[in-house]
Amino acid sequence: MKLNYFIQLLMTTLVLAGVFIFNSCQSISGSGNPKFANDSMVANFDYFTYKGNDDFYNNNPLPGDDYYYNPILPGWYSDPSVCTNGKDYFLVTSTFSYFPGVPIFHSTDMLNWKQIGNVLNRPEQLPLDGQGISRGIFAPAISYNPHNETYYMITTNMQGGNFLVKTQDPFGDWSDPIWLPDVHGIDPSLFFDENGKAYIVNNDEPDGGSTYEGHRAIRGIEYDVETDKTVGESIMLVNGGVRLSEKPIWIEGPHLYKFNGSYYLMCAEGGTSVDHREVIFKSDAPFGNYVPWDKNPILTQKHLNPNRELPVTCAGHADIIQKDNGQWWSVFLACRPIDNKFENLGRETFMMPIRWSRDGFPYMTKNDEVVPRIIRMEGVKRDSSVPFGNFEKNDDFNTTELGMEWLTIRGDAAGLYNLNENPGFLTLKCAEVTTNELKVPAFVGRRLQHHKFESTTKMYFTPGSETESAGMVLMKNEEHQYLLVVEKVNGQKAVRVKMLSDTAIEVIGSETINAEDEPVRLKITSNGTEFSFYYAVDDKDWKLLADKVDASYLSTARAGGFTGTTIGMYASGKKIEFIQ
């Protein structure tokens, strides 16, 4: 009796062990590769690498350890805003329809910045359903209120309106959204006065409505920090811009400050393209009569020779701050186009010192001054973790959570990716969603941060049908993408390069591969103006699949929008469809 019992127990143990081995990604086959369960509905990525190799950094080494490169946050870290508690500095930027939202960076010296998290890291903080890539979260502004030792981040969700979140620990989680139904338009910013009162300034319609295309106003309303509600009526502070007679367009991104007893209202003007500029007004009261400086703009590159070497363009949307040593600095967005034609990096975060005029106005550039690419910050030593210059990032997916550089689209993609199912791999589900839909795809990507780069991944994937595909994607928006994918074509496994538009997919490179159970390595390189796409079966040599592919197709100049390009991994179980 006991013998039969132990035989039965042994047989059950062996069966269970066999099931475990079959389903374990770490079971090793004879080829030395991981053996995955026979599940064609997922793709497993072993690693992802990204390496920048821009000529500027190679040819212009920093002259000392107290110098830095502009931009300080390369890639589309746009609409920067900064605050301080007197010792620590915190900086946030826009994320539009990517998740998580609003990366937050910390520094103790304004030179060495490190991302410490994302302000909007929970789905309930960030409803993005159905929004295009360039909608979602616009222009976050971060402020510190010394009266209650609380940090505030206020912003616009293009689908829900204006809201703020707050915390007393910016290294931790932030509150759920506090919606502001009486603050309309976009780009709100909070200001805390010395007497404890708080005010919101924002872009909105002028009194009586707009009279020309791009005619906007800056409005202000009081905010009660005790009830977290606005007080009174919204008041128009600036109509149109510096000179209404010239019909200025898109005044936005306002920030309110108080220096030496006077109130300063600083705003962007001219739109986000090459006419972008920063302007400033002065008043003796928070909602008083704001008079523009007669030497505006205080920052712009719009009038400079477009054929200049290494141009920085579109400069504006600034925020300014005083360091604990008394120095004044600004952060702002700008672009680095190639030959002043296009770029795929989007609007990046730059930083430069503030100067003060004799009549008491701060400014960054005047006359024909250019935004410098190399700047010295005396008294500060650059450390090895700075997020600029040529660098290499490698992720082997050996953690239980994605690193802070990774993004998904329109939500947290819960259930579509997994780091724990097959430890050491990023597993993506072949979801019934494609990259051109306004839904949450199985996509995990990061920003492009260099004109010249190389990015690789190693993928285990066996498509079970001709609707399943997985690989890498260069994503500008829903209608401008390049895809390097493995899929089934006429019953055979193939690797292909595709160009996605709003009406069709064009195959620009395709090869059948004999690699049913072997991994496929994928590589994308860029020289700034062109992409090249490669593949390799297992550890064999790279094969060029498509060369000299036009990079401008993903640029803002061609595709529009407010973001730069992301690169990453994705999977889909659905054939891309187009609405005619």
Side-chain angles (χ1 to χ4, degrees):
M1 192 74 172
K2 288 184 177 180
L3 180 61
N4 289 337
Y5 172 80
F6 283 114
I7 291 174
Q8 185 179 9
L9 180 62
L10 178 61
M11 292 179 65
T12 302
T13 302
L14 290 172
V15 169
L16 290 173
V19 171
F20 174 79
I21 291 172
F22 179 77
N23 285 286
S24 172
C25 78
Q26 297 301 331
S27 299
I28 305 299
S29 68
S31 64
N33 289 320
K35 184 68 174 179
F36 294 95
N38 186 21
D39 184 359
S40 64
M41 293 299 291
V42 299
N44 289 284
F45 295 85
D46 191 7
Y47 59 76
F48 190 94
T49 73
Y50 175 89
K51 182 179 181 180
N53 192 33
D54 279 351
D55 292 337
F56 178 81
Y57 302 125
N58 292 331
N59 299 333
N60 297 276
L62 292 174
D65 59 12
D66 55 352
Y67 286 80
Y68 67 88
Y69 287 119
N70 260 332
I72 57 165
L73 297 181
W76 57 272
Y77 292 101
S78 55
D79 309 319
S81 176
V82 64
C83 78
T84 183
N85 60 8
K87 180 180 68 173
D88 299 283
Y89 304 89
F90 298 94
L91 187 153
V92 296
T93 67
S94 294
T95 41
F96 303 96
S97 287
Y98 282 90
F99 185 98
V102 188
I104 179 168
F105 295 82
H106 170 254
S107 177
T108 57
D109 54 24
M110 284 286 289
L111 190 155
N112 296 292
W113 292 96
K114 181 179 180 181
Q115 187 174 355
I116 58 172
N118 295 275
V119 174
L120 306 176
N121 59 7
R122 305 188 301 276
E124 56 268 28
Q125 295 174 305
L126 192 56
L128 295 168
D129 294 349
Q131 298 198 66
I133 290 292
S134 284
R135 289 184 64 80
I137 297 298
F138 276 31
I142 189 170
S143 305
Y144 176 70
N145 184 359
H147 300 282
N148 60 6
E149 298 182 338
T150 300
Y151 297 84
Y152 294 79
M153 191 284 295
I154 186 170
T155 189
T156 307
N157 185 326
M158 293 301 290
Q159 186 165 271
N162 293 304
F163 69 95
L164 64 83
V165 292
K166 60 182 182 177
T167 186
Q168 289 190 318
D169 177 16
F171 294 90
D173 289 333
W174 294 63
S175 72
D176 285 342
I178 298 168
W179 296 94
L180 303 165
D182 293 325
V183 180
H184 306 291
I186 61 172
D187 296 5
S189 177
L190 263 168
F191 165 69
F192 300 101
D193 210 341
E194 297 165 343
N195 60 8
K197 287 192 173 184
Y199 305 93
I200 295 173
V201 290
N202 61 290
N203 156 294
D204 200 357
E205 288 281 341
D207 290 346
S210 300
T211 60
Y212 58 87
E213 178 67 20
H215 180 197
R216 303 294 287 174
I218 300 301
R219 308 188 72 91
I221 192 169
E222 189 175 343
Y223 179 74
D224 186 344
V225 298
E226 297 296 329
T227 63
D228 284 321
K229 293 181 179 179
T230 54
V231 178
E233 299 294 323
S234 173
I235 300 171
M236 185 170 71
L237 307 180
V238 173
N239 184 7
V242 171
R243 286 175 284 275
L244 183 60
S245 61
E246 298 178 4
K247 296 185 176 181
I249 61 172
W250 308 124
I251 190 163
E252 57 194 7
H255 289 288
L256 186 58
Y257 312 95
K258 188 176 185 179
F259 309 133
N260 298 324
S262 296
Y263 294 87
Y264 293 80
L265 181 62
M266 190 175 73
C267 315
E269 193 181 276
T272 60
S273 188
V274 293
D275 287 336
H276 204 201
R277 54 193 178 269
E278 195 74 10
V279 296
I280 198 160
F281 306 79
K282 188 176 182 180
S283 174
D284 58 3
F287 292 167
N289 179 33
Y290 277 95
V291 178
W293 189 33
D294 60 5
K295 296 180 178 61
N296 273 315
I298 62 173
L299 168 68
T300 191
Q301 304 283 271
K302 72 184 187 70
H303 60 293
L304 301 182
N305 183 350
N307 297 316
R308 66 192 184 277
E309 186 179 4
L310 297 172
V312 171
T313 64
C314 309
H317 201 110
D319 199 359
I320 63 178
I321 196 165
Q322 186 178 24
K323 289 183 62 174
D324 55 3
N325 63 1
Q327 295 176 346
W328 290 88
W329 290 83
S330 65
V331 293
F332 56 93
L333 68 80
C335 297
R336 292 180 290 156
I338 298 174
D339 299 329
N340 224 11
K341 295 178 181 178
F342 75 91
E343 42 69 31
N344 291 327
L345 307 181
R347 301 172 301 157
E348 307 173 285
T349 292
F350 287 66
M351 181 172 69
M352 64 184 297
I354 290 285
R355 291 169 288 175
W356 287 85
S357 68
R358 291 182 178 179
D359 53 349
F361 284 89
Y363 65 95
M364 289 78 103
T365 63
K366 63 179 181 180
N367 301 325
D368 291 337
E369 292 177 343
V370 300
V371 172
R373 293 292 307 277
I374 295 177
I375 295 180
R376 186 182 187 189
M377 185 181 284
E378 295 185 56
V380 179
K381 185 176 181 179
R382 186 181 68 255
D383 65 33
S384 59
S385 64
V386 291
F388 48 72
N390 283 330
F391 54 78
E392 183 173 357
K393 299 290 185 180
N394 302 316
D395 198 330
D396 57 12
F397 304 120
N398 280 325
T399 57
T400 58
E401 295 182 353
L402 288 173
M404 294 180 189
E405 72 273 21
W406 294 109
L407 299 164
T408 55
I409 302 174
R410 294 181 205 93
D412 63 357
L416 299 182
Y417 79 86
N418 197 302
L419 288 166
N420 302 310
E421 180 177 336
N422 298 313
F425 290 83
L426 172 68
T427 299
L428 289 180
K429 182 180 179 181
C430 290
E432 290 295 303
V433 179
T434 56
T435 54
N436 69 335
E437 295 183 277
L438 297 180
K439 298 179 181 179
V440 181
F443 169 84
V444 175
R446 54 160 295 138
R447 295 165 175 82
L448 289 188
Q449 296 180 279
H450 300 82
H451 295 298
K452 292 186 176 182
F453 69 87
E454 175 181 299
S455 187
T456 69
T457 191
K458 184 177 183 179
M459 179 179 71
Y460 294 80
F461 175 62
T462 301
S465 70
E466 297 201 359
T467 63
E468 296 173 9
S469 63
M472 297 176 73
V473 58
L474 284 164
M475 165 102 52
K476 169 61 174 176
N477 55 32
E478 294 81 12
E479 301 173 348
H480 293 80
Q481 302 170 25
Y482 286 120
L483 302 100
L484 174 59
V485 297
V486 172
E487 56 190 9
K488 186 170 283 189
V489 180
N490 298 323
Q492 293 183 295
K493 192 173 182 180
V495 58
R496 311 178 95 183
V497 178
K498 299 179 176 182
M499 183 177 75
L500 172 69
S501 71
D502 59 339
T503 58
I505 279 189
E506 178 185 351
V507 177
I508 56 179
S510 180
E511 284 191 15
T512 301
I513 55 175
N514 183 19
E516 286 303 315
D517 298 319
E518 294 177 291
V520 175
R521 291 183 294 136
L522 304 172
K523 179 168 71 172
I524 301 175
T525 67
S526 173
N527 64 11
T529 59
E530 297 168 327
F531 298 125
S532 297
F533 298 84
Y534 301 81
Y535 80 95
V537 176
D538 202 357
D539 292 325
K540 297 180 176 64
D541 293 338
W542 290 108
K543 292 186 177 181
L544 180 63
L545 189 60
D547 196 21
K548 297 181 179 180
V549 178
D550 183 14
S552 72
Y553 181 67
L554 303 183
S555 68
T556 301
R558 287 275 300 276
F562 300 128
T563 72
T565 302
T566 51
I567 185 170
M569 301 147 288
Y570 93 104
S572 178
K574 179 181 177 182
K575 186 176 181 180
I576 291 179
E577 299 174 349
F578 300 93
I579 299 175
Q580 301 298 326

